[in-house]
């Protein structure tokens, strides 16, 4: 009896071992397949000319120069709006609001919901509010503002964590010296919270340049070089979408663009993990 | 910091100014959700007025040009794709977190976790593109036409797996060490410890992870739009092409006018309602009201 139970137990353990290792192998294999496919088909098309030249023949030939410029402009608008609002909110939540106050709880709840809103719904909202109601039309400005709404929750959360990681003794010492809260914030807490802030910034950038659905109906499809923020501009992710769905024979350039986008994101991703490690090591700040 | 609230007895005038500035900024951040819901409702109102709520479920078909607005085939599409991918991704994600924490040798665990983080960062349009050029032709060979519910489920699975894997990993890390030592003292082997001790202790974190991945699966647009075929029909098998609510918005928003446009905003409202329900239930669970 005991013998057969032990046998069954051993079988369970063996099965679990195979399952767990199998899962890990499957995930790794899928990842390698995806990345390998992109590199294999994309790498031969990526060159300096590809990165700078304008697209020709609806993107079948030529490069992605204007598209990279549009992407950067959209990102710039997004950050210029999201950073002040995001940092301000994070400071308020971490430094000036107790966890149980009504204002703090309501703001947090609303940001939690905002974080879950599907990107296409952001697209609908951006189209109705920025393009139509505010009259900005299909433009880089509308796209950037829509993205700003989208990256706020992620930006606020990591910035707030950065502020919470600053030791309380900093604030107590400053208060004992009779410094105002504003001075304490600007000269002591803010510099010490920079690592968290950078992580939030980089995560926000990553989310923003990966986005497609929110941009289709806000920043538009036009693939010319944008002349002002009120021009329509095509983001890199939309370029990939358009080439693969609407342009027959665009696969080669779509592969190359996808490779550029993934490499950009890998760089961003590894910056985050560097910064996190850096923030953990750095305990003492010089002002 | 809560403790710093009471450690200065008074606020300087500059502090008051700063506080009001910060409150203003936070109010903007907090009001975006309200603004989104308000605009969805305002834009959806014409359709709700002219068409009525009931007809979104009872009309014979989705033909906005002829005034038919039946959303149910798209709702089924969304639900099937979500259910399929969550059913596959949940066990895979949890097992992959278990691998990271309890099975992998140390030099393997760190790179594996980095790999999952990288997967989480890849844009949906790249997953969609890969699905379109690699997965869809493979499925097409197996059972034509190729673009299908199955392709959607597989792509969604790959996309939401990192979410659940990272959440599960974090909640496994929070299981108290004594539990595991206790199990080891009883002589329990590895899998028995995980099944009997670790997973029950991490339950509420795992549930939150499942809810988050469900939200991602519902909201995903581009990848599913690229691999699912986008035929408006209630699927009768996994090889049938489908169209989801999100894909419908992305496809028709470009030329929709009048009631048709308003109907798309109604589907936006439906999506929003699903997400709010999920977020609220996630909060309940993580507070431990349901699952201790």
């Amino acid at each position: 009896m005991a013998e057969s139970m032990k046998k069954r137990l051993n079988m369970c353990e063996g099965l679990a071992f195979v399952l767990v290792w199998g899962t890990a192998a499957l995930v790794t294999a899928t990842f390698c397949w995806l990345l390998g496919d992109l590199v294999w088909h994309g790498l031969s098309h990526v060159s300096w000319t590809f990165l700078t030249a304008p697209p020709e023949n609806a993107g079948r030939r030529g490069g992605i120069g204007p598209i990279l410029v549009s992407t950067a402009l959209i990102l710039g608008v997004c950050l210029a709006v999201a950073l002040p609002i995001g940092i301000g909110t994070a400071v308020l939540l971490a430094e000036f609001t107790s966890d149980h106050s009504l204002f703090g709880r309501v703001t947090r709840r609303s940001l939690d919901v905002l974080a879950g809103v599907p990107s296409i719904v952001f697209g609908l909202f951006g189209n109705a509010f920025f393009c139509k109601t505010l009259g900005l039309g299909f433009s880089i400005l509308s796209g950037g503002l829509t993205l700003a709404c989208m990256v706020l929750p992620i930006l606020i959360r990591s910035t707030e964590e950065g502020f919470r990681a600053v030791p309380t003794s900093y604030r107590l010492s400053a208060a004992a010296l009779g410094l105002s809260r504003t001075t304490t914030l600007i000269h002591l807490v803010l510099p010490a919270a920079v690592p968290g802030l950078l992580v939030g910034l980089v995560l926000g950038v990553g989310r923003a340049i990966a986005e497609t659905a929110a941009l289709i109906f806000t920043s538009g499809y036009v693939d010319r070089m944008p002349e002002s923020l009120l021009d329509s501009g095509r983001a890199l992710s939309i370029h990939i979408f358009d080439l693969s769905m609407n342009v027959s024979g665009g696969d080669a350039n779509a592969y190359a663009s996808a490779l550029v986008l993934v490499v950009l994101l890998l760089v961003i991703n590894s910056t985050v993990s560097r910064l996190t490690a850096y923030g953990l090591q750095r305990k003492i700040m010089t002002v | 910091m809560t403790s710093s609230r009471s450690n200065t007895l008074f606020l300087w005038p500059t502090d008051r100014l700063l506080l009001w500035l910060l409150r203003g900024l936070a109010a903007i951040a907090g009001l975006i959700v309200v603004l989104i819901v308000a605009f969805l409702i305002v834009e959806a109102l014409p359709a709700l007025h002219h068409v009525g709520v009931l007809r979104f479920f009872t009309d014979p078909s989705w033909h906005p040009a002829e005034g038919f607005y039946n959303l149910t085939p798209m709702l089924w599409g969304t639900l099937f794709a979500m259910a399929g991918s969550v059913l596959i991704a949940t066990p895979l994600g949890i097992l992959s977190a278990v691998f990271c924490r309890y099975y992998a040798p140390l030099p393997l665990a760190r790179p594996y976790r980095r790999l999952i983080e990288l997967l989480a960062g890849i844009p949906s349009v790249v997953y969609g593109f890969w699905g379109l050029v690699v997965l869809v032709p493979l499925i097409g060979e197996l059972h034509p036409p190729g673009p299908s519910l199955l392709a959607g489920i597989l792509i969604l699975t790959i996309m939401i797996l990192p979410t659940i894997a990272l959440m599960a990993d974090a909640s496994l890390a929070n299981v108290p060490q004594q539990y595991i030592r206790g199990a080891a003292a009883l002589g329990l082997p590895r899998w028995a410890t995980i099944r009997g001790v670790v997973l029950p202790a991490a339950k509420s974190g795992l549930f939150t992870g499942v809810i988050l991945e469900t939200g991602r699966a519902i909201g995903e647009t581009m990848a599913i739009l690229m691999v699912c075929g986008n035929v408006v029909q209630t699927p009768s098998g996994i090889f049938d092409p489908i169209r989801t609510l999100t894909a419908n918005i992305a496809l028709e928003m470009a030329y929709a006018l009048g009631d048709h446009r308003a109907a798309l905003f109604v589907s936006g409202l439906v999506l929003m309602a699903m997400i709010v329900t999920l977020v609220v239930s996630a909060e309940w669970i993580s507070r431990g009201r349901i699952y201790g």
Side-chain angles (χ1 to χ4, degrees):
Chain A
M1 189 66 192
E3 208 40 42
S4 77
M5 233 178 98
K6 205 170 172 188
K7 219 175 187 176
R8 251 189 56 202
L9 198 66
N10 272 338
M11 240 175 70
C12 260
E13 289 292 320
L15 193 67
F17 186 85
V18 172
L19 267 180
V20 170
W21 276 89
T23 305
L26 186 70
V27 172
T28 315
T30 313
F31 180 76
C32 293
W33 188 7
L34 199 158
L35 207 63
D37 192 56
L38 285 186
V39 173
W40 180 256
H41 289 100
L43 196 60
S44 54
H45 293 274
V46 180
S47 64
W48 181 246
T49 358
F50 178 74
L51 291 178
T52 50
E56 287 163 30
N57 192 5
R60 287 184 192 87
R61 290 189 306 115
I64 53 170
I67 286 145
L68 285 179
V69 173
S70 299
T71 311
L73 286 177
I74 293 173
L75 206 60
V77 171
C78 160
L79 290 181
V81 177
L83 274 181
I85 299 179
I87 295 176
T89 310
V91 169
L92 185 78
L93 288 178
E95 301 287 323
F96 293 97
T97 320
S98 84
D99 289 347
H100 307 290
S101 78
L102 185 69
F103 187 83
R105 268 189 307 158
V106 169
T107 312
R108 270 204 194 92
R109 180 75 51 88
S110 120
L111 287 171
D112 280 346
V113 175
L114 193 64
V117 173
S119 50
I120 188 76
V121 173
F122 276 106
L124 283 178
F125 163 71
N127 185 272
F129 183 53
F130 297 121
C131 299
K132 295 269 154 65
T133 308
L134 296 187
L136 299 174
F138 283 78
S139 65
I140 288 177
L141 203 57
S142 309
L145 290 172
T146 310
L147 281 191
C149 300
M150 205 172 155
V151 301
L152 265 182
I154 200 169
L155 188 69
I156 292 173
R157 189 161 307 160
S158 5
T159 314
E160 193 188 335
E161 268 165 31
F163 277 102
R164 284 176 188 278
V166 177
T168 319
S169 55
Y170 283 32
R171 301 180 187 93
L172 293 179
S173 328
L177 290 171
L179 296 181
S180 75
R181 298 278 289 271
T182 315
T183 318
T184 316
L185 182 73
I186 294 173
H187 291 285
L188 276 166
V189 180
L190 198 61
V194 162
L197 213 153
L198 286 178
V199 170
L201 174 70
V202 177
L203 281 177
V205 171
R207 174 108 202 250
I209 64 171
E211 188 44 47
T212 319
L215 288 177
I216 305 182
F217 307 118
T218 52
S219 72
Y221 271 96
V222 175
D223 61 2
R224 279 191 310 273
M225 184 66 92
E227 277 162 15
S228 83
L229 291 184
L230 288 171
D231 276 1
S232 165
R234 185 191 281 203
L236 192 53
S237 49
I238 293 187
H239 189 57
I240 300 169
F241 171 68
D242 194 51
L243 281 184
S244 55
M245 291 294 281
N246 306 334
V247 179
S248 61
D251 275 3
N253 271 356
Y255 261 119
S257 312
L259 185 64
V260 172
L261 186 58
V262 167
V263 167
L264 272 176
L265 279 160
L266 291 189
V267 170
I268 288 172
N269 216 308
S270 53
T271 321
V272 174
S273 50
R274 290 266 168 76
L275 284 175
T276 325
Y278 177 69
L280 286 178
Q281 279 167 9
R282 195 160 79 158
K283 295 272 185 202
I284 302 168
M285 270 295 311
T286 47
V287 181
Chain B
M1 296 308 301
T2 43
S3 55
S4 63
R5 233 180 116 69
S6 52
N7 60 30
T8 35
L9 293 176
F10 67 99
L11 289 172
W12 294 56
T14 46
D15 291 349
R16 287 185 192 287
L17 207 69
L18 179 75
L19 200 53
W20 280 111
L21 178 72
L22 295 179
R23 280 194 188 133
L25 293 173
I28 296 177
L31 281 176
I32 292 175
V33 165
V34 182
L35 210 59
I36 291 179
V37 173
F39 264 89
L40 287 181
I41 291 177
V42 167
E43 295 276 340
L45 265 183
L48 293 174
H49 207 71
H50 297 152
V51 183
V53 177
L54 208 61
R55 276 189 49 204
F56 284 104
F57 302 98
T58 56
D59 266 3
S61 62
W62 172 265
H63 282 110
E66 289 142 41
F68 295 134
Y69 296 102
N70 191 351
L71 286 175
T72 33
M74 268 96 73
L75 259 175
W76 281 121
T78 296
L79 288 179
F80 281 134
M82 175 205 86
S85 58
V86 167
L87 278 180
I88 306 175
T90 306
L92 286 180
I94 293 176
L95 281 180
S96 123
V98 165
F99 171 78
C100 234
R101 288 270 155 206
Y102 301 103
Y103 277 82
L106 212 56
L108 212 61
R110 270 176 63 96
Y112 187 74
R113 193 168 299 135
R114 286 278 297 130
L115 186 134
I116 300 278
E117 284 171 11
L118 291 181
L119 273 179
I122 291 183
S124 57
V125 70
V126 173
Y127 281 116
F129 176 61
W130 181 72
L132 186 69
V133 293
V134 175
L135 219 51
V136 167
L138 278 181
I139 294 174
E141 270 173 37
L142 192 72
H143 193 297
S148 56
L149 177 59
L150 179 65
I153 289 177
L154 289 179
I155 280 295
L156 270 187
T157 303
I158 302 176
M159 292 187 63
I160 63 178
L161 193 138
T163 315
I164 175 77
L166 291 174
M167 279 298 288
D169 193 63
S171 54
L172 290 187
N174 282 334
V175 174
Q177 271 294 292
Q178 304 99 287
Y179 288 17
I180 295 156
R181 288 204 205 107
L186 288 172
L188 285 183
R190 188 152 45 175
W191 178 249
T193 310
I194 291 164
R195 215 193 56 164
V197 179
V198 174
L199 291 184
K203 200 164 55 177
S204 80
L206 296 180
F207 270 108
T208 316
V210 171
I211 287 180
L212 280 182
E213 67 168 348
T214 311
R216 264 202 86 180
I218 291 177
E220 181 43 48
T221 311
M222 295 331 275
I224 213 116
L225 166 68
M226 291 163 88
V227 300
C228 277
N230 302 319
V231 179
V232 184
Q233 60 173 10
T234 309
S236 53
I238 53 169
F239 292 106
D240 283 357
I242 57 154
R243 184 189 284 196
T244 63
L245 280 177
T246 48
N248 188 44
I249 299 175
L251 283 168
E252 300 192 350
M253 188 61 190
Y255 58 85
L257 293 167
D259 275 358
H260 182 194
R261 183 178 149 92
L264 295 180
F265 277 86
V266 171
S267 45
L269 268 180
V270 173
L271 287 169
M272 196 68 190
M274 288 180 178
I275 295 299
V276 171
T277 318
L278 284 174
V279 170
V280 171
S281 47
E283 218 157 275
W284 268 61
I285 290 171
S286 59
R287 272 200 210 149
R289 283 201 195 154
I290 302 179
Y291 299 101

